[in-house]
Amino acid sequence: MDTVVISIGGSVLVPGENDSKYISKLGELLTDLSSRLKIYSVVGGGKTARFYIRLGRELGADESFLDEMGVQATRLNARLLISSLSGKANDHPPETVEEAFELGKSHEIVVMGGTTPGHTTDGVAASLAESVKADRIINATSVDGVYTKDPKKHEDAEKLDSLSFEDLLNLTQTSSWKAGPSNVFDSMGSEILARARIPLLVVNGRDLTNLAAAIKGEEFSGTIVGGED
Ligand code: UTP
């Protein structure tokens, strides 16, 4: 049985339209797939996290405190996904990767949010993928792959079908940490995946048919990182 870690962006899970309908369908999909795959899912904070981080920053909170608020938002979103999984997942989001690893021994699906300040849920997903020896990690995001530039801002951005781990490291290297959104994948997560050589599949998480194909390891539309390894 393959083990898969899915990093679901908060902006994919709760974009503000049709939220419960989408989450319910995603829950059905994961429940269905859990009979043939071991599934771990890490949920992002999306607009709830951004809202609290922005307000806290205006009020003078430091970056670590803002990160903590972001983590709380990710756990709130994780509880929404848990609600849709008909008892197949853990009841409460684990607070560490080690705890998630342990929960994996007794649950068909494990759902969590963030852990500690200084990274995003992508980093948590990569760390979990290394710890559970995942066969692949899926980044279910709001764009349909990795682009040469931000496709929401640049019309001439081109989609990349495949990248090496080294390309990913070049795209995600940052000099300093700040609470709030990252782009393709966070730098800590990229370093872990490059070291552990775990392929990363970047897909639009709102397209559930395509997301299902990526989770199952079948042909999908998006970007694959480290697929040649
Ligand atoms: P996200 O993982 O949601 O980041 O965490 P994101 O890049 O905004 O992703 P989307 O939009 O959901 O796809 C939200 C914030 O929470 C803090 C960080 O400040 C992050 O930007 N956080 C999250 C942590 O500090 N540690 C964690 O483990 C997770």
Side-chain angles (χ1 to χ4, degrees):
M1 191 188 248
D2 273 5
T3 297
V4 181
V5 173
I6 311 162
S7 178
I8 302 179
S11 43
V12 173
L13 197 77
V14 197
E17 317 152 23
N18 238 342
D19 294 342
S20 69
K21 206 167 155 202
Y22 168 79
I23 299 170
S24 160
K25 285 192 174 153
L26 176 63
E28 272 172 35
L29 172 67
L30 298 184
T31 303
D32 181 39
L33 291 177
S34 69
S35 59
R36 51 173 152 149
L37 293 167
K38 182 85 204 172
I39 297 175
Y40 294 83
S41 179
V42 185
V43 181
K47 63 177 192 285
T48 311
R50 278 195 284 279
F51 176 79
Y52 279 91
I53 288 171
R54 179 169 57 78
L55 260 60
R57 190 174 277 133
E58 281 170 20
L59 293 167
D62 67 29
E63 290 303 311
S64 168
F65 195 83
L66 296 174
D67 280 343
E68 295 280 5
M69 287 204 281
V71 169
Q72 295 300 329
T74 65
R75 291 185 185 150
L76 202 54
N77 282 345
R79 285 181 189 274
L80 281 178
L81 183 57
I82 289 170
S83 306
S84 74
L85 289 169
S86 351
K88 287 211 178 270
N90 47 300
D91 289 336
H92 306 284
E95 299 194 357
T96 63
V97 163
E98 293 71 28
E99 219 184 300
F101 178 89
E102 287 304 317
L103 282 170
K105 295 177 184 167
S106 51
H107 294 80
E108 288 165 68
I109 305 174
V110 176
V111 180
M112 71 185 298
T115 54
T116 52
H119 49 256
T120 72
T121 43
D122 292 339
V124 175
S127 171
L128 183 58
E130 186 177 40
S131 150
V132 301
K133 298 191 172 43
D135 294 280
R136 57 193 163 275
I137 174 166
I138 317 295
N139 190 16
T141 176
S142 55
V143 286
D144 59 358
V146 179
Y147 281 76
T148 49
K149 304 174 192 174
D150 184 346
K152 288 176 180 158
K153 292 185 190 147
H154 304 273
E155 266 185 27
D156 60 341
E158 283 171 36
K159 194 173 113 188
L160 304 164
D161 291 332
S162 66
L163 294 177
S164 65
F165 288 117
E166 289 64 35
D167 293 333
L168 179 70
L169 288 175
N170 289 334
L171 275 174
T172 55
Q173 254 159 15
T174 48
S175 49
S176 62
W177 170 258
K178 232 176 150 202
S182 59
N183 39 23
V184 186
F185 208 71
D186 82 9
S187 58
M188 178 187 106
S190 303
E191 278 170 28
I192 294 171
L193 295 186
R195 181 180 70 218
R197 304 318 256 189
I198 300 172
L200 167 69
L201 285 59
V202 183
V203 292
N204 183 338
R206 297 292 291 191
D207 177 349
L208 287 172
T209 308
N210 194 38
L211 176 63
I215 295 173
K216 288 188 267 185
E218 294 171 356
E219 205 169 307
F220 73 103
S221 163
T223 300
I224 181 154
V225 180
E228 301 303 311
D229 277 53

